[in-house]
Amino acid sequence: MCGIVGFIGNQQAYPILIKGLKRLEYRGYDSSGVSMIENQEFNQYKCKGKVADLEALVSGKDISGTIGIGHTRWATHGVPNDVNAHPHLSGDGNLSLIHNGIIENYATLKEALMEQGHVFKSDTDTEVLVHFIEDIMSKTGSDLFEAVRVALCEVVGAYAIVVMDRRHPNRLVCAKKSSPLVIGIGAEGDYFIASDATPFIEYTKNVVYLEDEEVALIDRQSGLKIVTIQNQQKDPYIHELELKLEAIEKGGYDSFMLKEIHEQPRSIHDSIRGRLNLNHGMLKMSGIDRHEEIWMNANRIIIVACGTSWHAGLVAEYLFEEFARIPTEVEYASEFRYRDPIIQQGDIVIAISQSGETADTLAAIELAKEKGAFIFGVCNVVGSTISRATHSGAYTHAGPEIGVASTKAFTAQVAVLYLIALSVADKRGTLSKERLHRLMAELSTIPDKVEEVLKTNDLVESIAAIYKDHRNALYLGRGYSFPVALEGALKLKEISYIHAEGYPAAEMKHGPIALIDEEMPVFVIATQGHSYEKVVSNIQEVKARKGKIIAIVTAGDKTVSELADHSIEIPKTDDSLVPIVSVIPLQLLSYHVAVMRGCNVDQPRNLAKSVTVE
Ligand code: F6R
């Protein structure tokens, strides 16, 4: 969602801000803006549309200044237009502010400010906040840093903000709660602020992650100072980033999504490397080992996540129940948090999140924590809010995922959850050593099997060409393949805007079968294994009603291939590992369909990469 960039230092701010905004485009947005201070005046520009539109707007205008802020807005309060775009100015024109998040009590604050004569130009909650800060400054005589702190004590909601005062171009103030903000400390007095480290990674690897309810002052003379909104001084803790510039570039591919699909052999390998020792038949999951007792005594696992991460959670449900024999429930984080869930002794909550910033997942964690649960995180972004909010966890090592549609993060999540399930099963003695070693060995072959499946790209592209103009699609799977059906449907709808539904194959006859006719493509994960024969019967049911079958089958399969209109072969593997391999052709299919339909695969309409609002 909204992207934030700020700079203060010894270079011109605009080129850094604009490059930073381009790097944050992946988060999803509909308008953008920048503001720099030069000679105690703002050079401020903003407009609806893409960063390229902003560049066109500023062309030939004064963009000078060594302090500045930039923003990409994903509309919440007010339609995407030039006026609602950030930055927003205070009523006296002295302050300029950018914001990510939602100020929930903005209406009350706005009413009170209007009674005092404040006039608002936009529909945003952000403009209310900057007027509120101005109001505090004028009433109390406090400086910007103090006024921001005081204002935020009154604010209910989520925010990451950066604000500057044109009269004091030596200072930048930023703060956060429930929305991410990271400060980069560069050479020779350069400071960078951003929603994540990607905008400034070529300048510095030294970063400070601001914690919730912290306010930071960056002063050209005195450097960085952090206090809580309750005015407690904090010592900045400097982390060293491992992120590399190549990881956030397209590397010769047409899109990040295609690059990320092709990166999966490596990202899965990186996620299991060092954790799987086949020679000694050992698993090393330090997040599990450190809390062995808790896992040994677990009575129930509750998985909370959203979207694709929730689908990975569904796969994990099968894994934990089959391997570790622990009853497992998978919850949409947004539902879990809004009821009064029962947490009992021995419950473990696993939160899965690629970005580590998803607001609903974070809120579910906080709720489960309050109720005394042990929280284990599976995140991709190192240092993210969720990774820091959990008691323990395991990172997926997928590398930065820039394409909005999650691909490599999903397969890495399933691989890491697989390791967790095996490791817990090993400790609890619920799997025979022989089966455990067989599964470990099979897991280690998965990167090569994924490489093999990627070779089906041309075949998948030709199938995409046949179905690209269809308006609906059904995805079916059973057992471990049911979550893959859901994920395949989600991939298609989010990037190609074709309506698609995923179902457990057996559920078809309880309703969706009514949709089947010669116009309905039905994608079926029909690999050989536990419920193969049953899936074959489901395929027959579709064929009897003239539906078109596109089947993902085990290499060498004859039965399904003869029934299906098209079949895509994947290498044989254990049922429990099929999701990682079978999802690949479905990712490729969605990609090709979307490209053929002229859609922007990396930044689909209305979607944001990191959903930091509820
Ligand atoms: C779909 C997709 C989303 C995310 C969801 C959760 O392709 O990317 O459904 O999976 O928004 O995001 P994270 O995993 O960052 O919590």
Side-chain angles (χ1 to χ4, degrees), residues 447-474:
D448 286 345
K449 291 186 174 167
V450 168
E451 191 79 67
E452 199 55 37
V453 185
L454 286 168
K455 294 183 188 150
T456 62
N457 182 53
D458 291 352
L459 168 66
V460 175
E461 188 174 1
S462 64
I463 297 172
I466 298 169
Y467 295 101
K468 69 177 174 34
D469 295 321
H470 283 241
R471 297 167 61 102
N472 298 290
L474 259 186

PDB file of all heavy atoms in Angstrom, residues 447-474:
ATOM      1  N   PRO A 447      13.521 -28.606  -5.524  1.00  0.00           N
ATOM      2  CA  PRO A 447      14.006 -27.535  -6.415  1.00  0.00           C
ATOM      3  C   PRO A 447      14.246 -28.031  -7.847  1.00  0.00           C
ATOM      4  O   PRO A 447      13.875 -27.352  -8.818  1.00  0.00           O
ATOM      5  CB  PRO A 447      15.307 -27.077  -5.741  1.00  0.00           C
ATOM      6  CG  PRO A 447      15.080 -27.388  -4.283  1.00  0.00           C
ATOM      7  CD  PRO A 447      14.292 -28.664  -4.271  1.00  0.00           C
ATOM      8  N   ASP A 448      14.810 -29.244  -7.993  1.00  0.00           N
ATOM      9  CA  ASP A 448      15.054 -29.774  -9.348  1.00  0.00           C
ATOM     10  C   ASP A 448      13.738 -30.097 -10.048  1.00  0.00           C
ATOM     11  O   ASP A 448      13.596 -29.919 -11.262  1.00  0.00           O
ATOM     12  CB  ASP A 448      15.896 -31.055  -9.277  1.00  0.00           C
ATOM     13  CG  ASP A 448      17.341 -30.729  -8.943  1.00  0.00           C
ATOM     14  OD1 ASP A 448      17.708 -29.539  -9.067  1.00  0.00           O
ATOM     15  OD2 ASP A 448      18.083 -31.640  -8.531  1.00  0.00           O
ATOM     16  N   LYS A 449      12.776 -30.589  -9.292  1.00  0.00           N
ATOM     17  CA  LYS A 449      11.479 -30.914  -9.902  1.00  0.00           C
ATOM     18  C   LYS A 449      10.764 -29.639 -10.366  1.00  0.00           C
ATOM     19  O   LYS A 449      10.112 -29.627 -11.412  1.00  0.00           O
ATOM     20  CB  LYS A 449      10.616 -31.731  -8.931  1.00  0.00           C
ATOM     21  CG  LYS A 449      11.220 -33.124  -8.752  1.00  0.00           C
ATOM     22  CD  LYS A 449      10.417 -34.087  -7.953  1.00  0.00           C
ATOM     23  CE  LYS A 449      11.123 -35.455  -8.038  1.00  0.00           C
ATOM     24  NZ  LYS A 449      10.652 -36.434  -7.085  1.00  0.00           N
ATOM     25  N   VAL A 450      10.928 -28.587  -9.593  1.00  0.00           N
ATOM     26  CA  VAL A 450      10.325 -27.303  -9.992  1.00  0.00           C
ATOM     27  C   VAL A 450      11.005 -26.802 -11.277  1.00  0.00           C
ATOM     28  O   VAL A 450      10.353 -26.317 -12.204  1.00  0.00           O
ATOM     29  CB  VAL A 450      10.416 -26.277  -8.836  1.00  0.00           C
ATOM     30  CG1 VAL A 450      10.073 -24.876  -9.308  1.00  0.00           C
ATOM     31  CG2 VAL A 450       9.487 -26.696  -7.693  1.00  0.00           C
ATOM     32  N   GLU A 451      12.314 -26.976 -11.322  1.00  0.00           N
ATOM     33  CA  GLU A 451      13.073 -26.595 -12.545  1.00  0.00           C
ATOM     34  C   GLU A 451      12.502 -27.342 -13.746  1.00  0.00           C
ATOM     35  O   GLU A 451      12.317 -26.770 -14.830  1.00  0.00           O
ATOM     36  CB  GLU A 451      14.545 -26.975 -12.316  1.00  0.00           C
ATOM     37  CG  GLU A 451      15.515 -26.438 -13.342  1.00  0.00           C
ATOM     38  CD  GLU A 451      15.847 -24.970 -13.100  1.00  0.00           C
ATOM     39  OE1 GLU A 451      16.491 -24.671 -12.085  1.00  0.00           O
ATOM     40  OE2 GLU A 451      15.437 -24.155 -13.951  1.00  0.00           O
ATOM     41  N   GLU A 452      12.227 -28.605 -13.551  1.00  0.00           N
ATOM     42  CA  GLU A 452      11.669 -29.456 -14.603  1.00  0.00           C
ATOM     43  C   GLU A 452      10.299 -28.921 -15.070  1.00  0.00           C
ATOM     44  O   GLU A 452      10.029 -28.823 -16.260  1.00  0.00           O
ATOM     45  CB  GLU A 452      11.521 -30.868 -13.999  1.00  0.00           C
ATOM     46  CG  GLU A 452      11.393 -32.013 -14.960  1.00  0.00           C
ATOM     47  CD  GLU A 452      12.510 -32.097 -15.972  1.00  0.00           C
ATOM     48  OE1 GLU A 452      13.670 -31.805 -15.628  1.00  0.00           O
ATOM     49  OE2 GLU A 452      12.191 -32.435 -17.147  1.00  0.00           O
ATOM     50  N   VAL A 453       9.466 -28.561 -14.095  1.00  0.00           N
ATOM     51  CA  VAL A 453       8.108 -28.085 -14.437  1.00  0.00           C
ATOM     52  C   VAL A 453       8.164 -26.768 -15.204  1.00  0.00           C
ATOM     53  O   VAL A 453       7.311 -26.498 -16.059  1.00  0.00           O
ATOM     54  CB  VAL A 453       7.239 -27.883 -13.171  1.00  0.00           C
ATOM     55  CG1 VAL A 453       5.818 -27.525 -13.549  1.00  0.00           C
ATOM     56  CG2 VAL A 453       7.213 -29.128 -12.347  1.00  0.00           C
ATOM     57  N   LEU A 454       9.169 -25.954 -14.903  1.00  0.00           N
ATOM     58  CA  LEU A 454       9.268 -24.664 -15.598  1.00  0.00           C
ATOM     59  C   LEU A 454       9.432 -24.865 -17.109  1.00  0.00           C
ATOM     60  O   LEU A 454       9.117 -23.984 -17.903  1.00  0.00           O
ATOM     61  CB  LEU A 454      10.422 -23.842 -15.020  1.00  0.00           C
ATOM     62  CG  LEU A 454      10.149 -23.243 -13.626  1.00  0.00           C
ATOM     63  CD1 LEU A 454      11.429 -22.701 -13.003  1.00  0.00           C
ATOM     64  CD2 LEU A 454       9.088 -22.145 -13.688  1.00  0.00           C
ATOM     65  N   LYS A 455       9.897 -26.081 -17.473  1.00  0.00           N
ATOM     66  CA  LYS A 455      10.069 -26.367 -18.913  1.00  0.00           C
ATOM     67  C   LYS A 455       8.723 -26.530 -19.626  1.00  0.00           C
ATOM     68  O   LYS A 455       8.674 -26.628 -20.840  1.00  0.00           O
ATOM     69  CB  LYS A 455      10.903 -27.637 -19.098  1.00  0.00           C
ATOM     70  CG  LYS A 455      12.326 -27.460 -18.613  1.00  0.00           C
ATOM     71  CD  LYS A 455      13.144 -28.700 -18.882  1.00  0.00           C
ATOM     72  CE  LYS A 455      14.506 -28.603 -18.216  1.00  0.00           C
ATOM     73  NZ  LYS A 455      15.049 -29.887 -17.834  1.00  0.00           N
ATOM     74  N   THR A 456       7.636 -26.605 -18.869  1.00  0.00           N
ATOM     75  CA  THR A 456       6.312 -26.715 -19.518  1.00  0.00           C
ATOM     76  C   THR A 456       5.809 -25.342 -19.979  1.00  0.00           C
ATOM     77  O   THR A 456       4.693 -25.220 -20.469  1.00  0.00           O
ATOM     78  CB  THR A 456       5.251 -27.310 -18.542  1.00  0.00           C
ATOM     79  OG1 THR A 456       5.104 -26.415 -17.427  1.00  0.00           O
ATOM     80  CG2 THR A 456       5.639 -28.685 -18.042  1.00  0.00           C
ATOM     81  N   ASN A 457       6.632 -24.324 -19.783  1.00  0.00           N
ATOM     82  CA  ASN A 457       6.194 -22.947 -20.067  1.00  0.00           C
ATOM     83  C   ASN A 457       5.526 -22.780 -21.439  1.00  0.00           C
ATOM     84  O   ASN A 457       4.471 -22.179 -21.553  1.00  0.00           O
ATOM     85  CB  ASN A 457       7.397 -22.007 -19.934  1.00  0.00           C
ATOM     86  CG  ASN A 457       6.983 -20.567 -20.177  1.00  0.00           C
ATOM     87  OD1 ASN A 457       6.053 -20.083 -19.541  1.00  0.00           O
ATOM     88  ND2 ASN A 457       7.628 -19.909 -21.128  1.00  0.00           N
ATOM     89  N   ASP A 458       6.135 -23.362 -22.498  1.00  0.00           N
ATOM     90  CA  ASP A 458       5.578 -23.148 -23.839  1.00  0.00           C
ATOM     91  C   ASP A 458       4.209 -23.814 -23.985  1.00  0.00           C
ATOM     92  O   ASP A 458       3.294 -23.246 -24.580  1.00  0.00           O
ATOM     93  CB  ASP A 458       6.531 -23.692 -24.916  1.00  0.00           C
ATOM     94  CG  ASP A 458       7.786 -22.837 -24.977  1.00  0.00           C
ATOM     95  OD1 ASP A 458       7.808 -21.779 -24.311  1.00  0.00           O
ATOM     96  OD2 ASP A 458       8.746 -23.238 -25.669  1.00  0.00           O
ATOM     97  N   LEU A 459       4.120 -25.015 -23.434  1.00  0.00           N
ATOM     98  CA  LEU A 459       2.837 -25.726 -23.474  1.00  0.00           C
ATOM     99  C   LEU A 459       1.777 -24.910 -22.723  1.00  0.00           C
ATOM    100  O   LEU A 459       0.653 -24.708 -23.213  1.00  0.00           O
ATOM    101  CB  LEU A 459       3.012 -27.108 -22.814  1.00  0.00           C
ATOM    102  CG  LEU A 459       1.723 -27.868 -22.503  1.00  0.00           C
ATOM    103  CD1 LEU A 459       1.006 -28.246 -23.800  1.00  0.00           C
ATOM    104  CD2 LEU A 459       2.015 -29.138 -21.681  1.00  0.00           C
ATOM    105  N   VAL A 460       2.152 -24.420 -21.536  1.00  0.00           N
ATOM    106  CA  VAL A 460       1.200 -23.650 -20.729  1.00  0.00           C
ATOM    107  C   VAL A 460       0.788 -22.382 -21.492  1.00  0.00           C
ATOM    108  O   VAL A 460      -0.383 -22.002 -21.506  1.00  0.00           O
ATOM    109  CB  VAL A 460       1.820 -23.296 -19.355  1.00  0.00           C
ATOM    110  CG1 VAL A 460       0.895 -22.395 -18.558  1.00  0.00           C
ATOM    111  CG2 VAL A 460       2.120 -24.568 -18.558  1.00  0.00           C
ATOM    112  N   GLU A 461       1.745 -21.762 -22.158  1.00  0.00           N
ATOM    113  CA  GLU A 461       1.437 -20.542 -22.922  1.00  0.00           C
ATOM    114  C   GLU A 461       0.413 -20.854 -24.030  1.00  0.00           C
ATOM    115  O   GLU A 461      -0.519 -20.080 -24.265  1.00  0.00           O
ATOM    116  CB  GLU A 461       2.726 -19.966 -23.519  1.00  0.00           C
ATOM    117  CG  GLU A 461       2.507 -18.618 -24.144  1.00  0.00           C
ATOM    118  CD  GLU A 461       3.808 -17.968 -24.619  1.00  0.00           C
ATOM    119  OE1 GLU A 461       4.885 -18.591 -24.478  1.00  0.00           O
ATOM    120  OE2 GLU A 461       3.734 -16.844 -25.133  1.00  0.00           O
ATOM    121  N   SER A 462       0.589 -22.020 -24.667  1.00  0.00           N
ATOM    122  CA  SER A 462      -0.355 -22.357 -25.749  1.00  0.00           C
ATOM    123  C   SER A 462      -1.752 -22.631 -25.177  1.00  0.00           C
ATOM    124  O   SER A 462      -2.761 -22.306 -25.803  1.00  0.00           O
ATOM    125  CB  SER A 462       0.160 -23.538 -26.581  1.00  0.00           C
ATOM    126  OG  SER A 462       0.214 -24.689 -25.763  1.00  0.00           O
ATOM    127  N   ILE A 463      -1.813 -23.196 -23.991  1.00  0.00           N
ATOM    128  CA  ILE A 463      -3.126 -23.428 -23.358  1.00  0.00           C
ATOM    129  C   ILE A 463      -3.738 -22.078 -22.966  1.00  0.00           C
ATOM    130  O   ILE A 463      -4.939 -21.834 -23.149  1.00  0.00           O
ATOM    131  CB  ILE A 463      -2.980 -24.359 -22.132  1.00  0.00           C
ATOM    132  CG1 ILE A 463      -2.475 -25.736 -22.576  1.00  0.00           C
ATOM    133  CG2 ILE A 463      -4.295 -24.478 -21.369  1.00  0.00           C
ATOM    134  CD1 ILE A 463      -2.107 -26.682 -21.453  1.00  0.00           C
ATOM    135  N   ALA A 464      -2.889 -21.183 -22.469  1.00  0.00           N
ATOM    136  CA  ALA A 464      -3.369 -19.844 -22.083  1.00  0.00           C
ATOM    137  C   ALA A 464      -4.013 -19.148 -23.284  1.00  0.00           C
ATOM    138  O   ALA A 464      -5.051 -18.496 -23.160  1.00  0.00           O
ATOM    139  CB  ALA A 464      -2.216 -19.013 -21.533  1.00  0.00           C
ATOM    140  N   ALA A 465      -3.399 -19.327 -24.448  1.00  0.00           N
ATOM    141  CA  ALA A 465      -3.918 -18.660 -25.657  1.00  0.00           C
ATOM    142  C   ALA A 465      -5.334 -19.152 -25.973  1.00  0.00           C
ATOM    143  O   ALA A 465      -6.170 -18.386 -26.477  1.00  0.00           O
ATOM    144  CB  ALA A 465      -2.980 -18.924 -26.833  1.00  0.00           C
ATOM    145  N   ILE A 466      -5.615 -20.410 -25.664  1.00  0.00           N
ATOM    146  CA  ILE A 466      -6.950 -20.971 -25.967  1.00  0.00           C
ATOM    147  C   ILE A 466      -8.015 -20.401 -25.014  1.00  0.00           C
ATOM    148  O   ILE A 466      -9.138 -20.141 -25.410  1.00  0.00           O
ATOM    149  CB  ILE A 466      -6.910 -22.523 -25.874  1.00  0.00           C
ATOM    150  CG1 ILE A 466      -5.936 -23.069 -26.918  1.00  0.00           C
ATOM    151  CG2 ILE A 466      -8.313 -23.137 -26.044  1.00  0.00           C
ATOM    152  CD1 ILE A 466      -5.610 -24.542 -26.768  1.00  0.00           C
ATOM    153  N   TYR A 467      -7.627 -20.202 -23.754  1.00  0.00           N
ATOM    154  CA  TYR A 467      -8.645 -19.841 -22.740  1.00  0.00           C
ATOM    155  C   TYR A 467      -8.619 -18.373 -22.315  1.00  0.00           C
ATOM    156  O   TYR A 467      -9.369 -17.985 -21.438  1.00  0.00           O
ATOM    157  CB  TYR A 467      -8.488 -20.765 -21.520  1.00  0.00           C
ATOM    158  CG  TYR A 467      -8.808 -22.195 -21.895  1.00  0.00           C
ATOM    159  CD1 TYR A 467      -7.790 -23.120 -22.134  1.00  0.00           C
ATOM    160  CD2 TYR A 467     -10.132 -22.596 -22.081  1.00  0.00           C
ATOM    161  CE1 TYR A 467      -8.081 -24.415 -22.525  1.00  0.00           C
ATOM    162  CE2 TYR A 467     -10.438 -23.893 -22.479  1.00  0.00           C
ATOM    163  CZ  TYR A 467      -9.407 -24.796 -22.695  1.00  0.00           C
ATOM    164  OH  TYR A 467      -9.714 -26.071 -23.106  1.00  0.00           O
ATOM    165  N   LYS A 468      -7.775 -17.578 -22.947  1.00  0.00           N
ATOM    166  CA  LYS A 468      -7.573 -16.211 -22.463  1.00  0.00           C
ATOM    167  C   LYS A 468      -8.848 -15.349 -22.495  1.00  0.00           C
ATOM    168  O   LYS A 468      -8.978 -14.412 -21.717  1.00  0.00           O
ATOM    169  CB  LYS A 468      -6.450 -15.516 -23.238  1.00  0.00           C
ATOM    170  CG  LYS A 468      -6.797 -15.209 -24.675  1.00  0.00           C
ATOM    171  CD  LYS A 468      -5.658 -14.460 -25.326  1.00  0.00           C
ATOM    172  CE  LYS A 468      -5.794 -14.218 -26.793  1.00  0.00           C
ATOM    173  NZ  LYS A 468      -7.066 -13.980 -27.381  1.00  0.00           N
ATOM    174  N   ASP A 469      -9.781 -15.676 -23.400  1.00  0.00           N
ATOM    175  CA  ASP A 469     -10.967 -14.825 -23.505  1.00  0.00           C
ATOM    176  C   ASP A 469     -12.173 -15.363 -22.740  1.00  0.00           C
ATOM    177  O   ASP A 469     -13.257 -14.803 -22.816  1.00  0.00           O
ATOM    178  CB  ASP A 469     -11.337 -14.611 -24.980  1.00  0.00           C
ATOM    179  CG  ASP A 469     -10.234 -13.837 -25.683  1.00  0.00           C
ATOM    180  OD1 ASP A 469      -9.679 -12.916 -25.039  1.00  0.00           O
ATOM    181  OD2 ASP A 469      -9.896 -14.173 -26.833  1.00  0.00           O
ATOM    182  N   HIS A 470     -11.958 -16.459 -22.035  1.00  0.00           N
ATOM    183  CA  HIS A 470     -13.084 -16.979 -21.242  1.00  0.00           C
ATOM    184  C   HIS A 470     -13.345 -16.063 -20.050  1.00  0.00           C
ATOM    185  O   HIS A 470     -12.456 -15.376 -19.575  1.00  0.00           O
ATOM    186  CB  HIS A 470     -12.777 -18.411 -20.785  1.00  0.00           C
ATOM    187  CG  HIS A 470     -12.951 -19.404 -21.895  1.00  0.00           C
ATOM    188  ND1 HIS A 470     -13.853 -20.434 -21.848  1.00  0.00           N
ATOM    189  CD2 HIS A 470     -12.348 -19.500 -23.106  1.00  0.00           C
ATOM    190  CE1 HIS A 470     -13.799 -21.111 -22.980  1.00  0.00           C
ATOM    191  NE2 HIS A 470     -12.878 -20.568 -23.763  1.00  0.00           N
ATOM    192  N   ARG A 471     -14.575 -16.083 -19.584  1.00  0.00           N
ATOM    193  CA  ARG A 471     -14.931 -15.149 -18.502  1.00  0.00           C
ATOM    194  C   ARG A 471     -14.907 -15.795 -17.133  1.00  0.00           C
ATOM    195  O   ARG A 471     -14.929 -15.099 -16.109  1.00  0.00           O
ATOM    196  CB  ARG A 471     -16.325 -14.573 -18.773  1.00  0.00           C
ATOM    197  CG  ARG A 471     -16.367 -13.755 -20.063  1.00  0.00           C
ATOM    198  CD  ARG A 471     -17.797 -13.477 -20.439  1.00  0.00           C
ATOM    199  NE  ARG A 471     -18.438 -12.701 -19.391  1.00  0.00           N
ATOM    200  CZ  ARG A 471     -18.652 -11.399 -19.452  1.00  0.00           C
ATOM    201  NH1 ARG A 471     -18.300 -10.742 -20.532  1.00  0.00           N
ATOM    202  NH2 ARG A 471     -19.232 -10.752 -18.474  1.00  0.00           N
ATOM    203  N   ASN A 472     -14.917 -17.122 -17.101  1.00  0.00           N
ATOM    204  CA  ASN A 472     -14.944 -17.833 -15.817  1.00  0.00           C
ATOM    205  C   ASN A 472     -14.013 -19.029 -15.879  1.00  0.00           C
ATOM    206  O   ASN A 472     -13.745 -19.551 -16.963  1.00  0.00           O
ATOM    207  CB  ASN A 472     -16.353 -18.378 -15.535  1.00  0.00           C
ATOM    208  CG  ASN A 472     -17.368 -17.254 -15.438  1.00  0.00           C
ATOM    209  OD1 ASN A 472     -17.355 -16.492 -14.486  1.00  0.00           O
ATOM    210  ND2 ASN A 472     -18.223 -17.142 -16.448  1.00  0.00           N
ATOM    211  N   ALA A 473     -13.594 -19.484 -14.718  1.00  0.00           N
ATOM    212  CA  ALA A 473     -12.806 -20.721 -14.660  1.00  0.00           C
ATOM    213  C   ALA A 473     -13.009 -21.372 -13.302  1.00  0.00           C
ATOM    214  O   ALA A 473     -13.211 -20.682 -12.301  1.00  0.00           O
ATOM    215  CB  ALA A 473     -11.323 -20.415 -14.887  1.00  0.00           C
ATOM    216  N   LEU A 474     -12.960 -22.694 -13.320  1.00  0.00           N
ATOM    217  CA  LEU A 474     -13.051 -23.444 -12.054  1.00  0.00           C
ATOM    218  C   LEU A 474     -11.730 -24.165 -11.822  1.00  0.00           C
ATOM    219  O   LEU A 474     -11.109 -24.638 -12.777  1.00  0.00           O
ATOM    220  CB  LEU A 474     -14.131 -24.515 -12.170  1.00  0.00           C
ATOM    221  CG  LEU A 474     -15.504 -24.294 -11.559  1.00  0.00           C
ATOM    222  CD1 LEU A 474     -16.324 -25.575 -11.695  1.00  0.00           C
ATOM    223  CD2 LEU A 474     -15.418 -23.898 -10.094  1.00  0.00           C
TER     224      LEU A 474
END
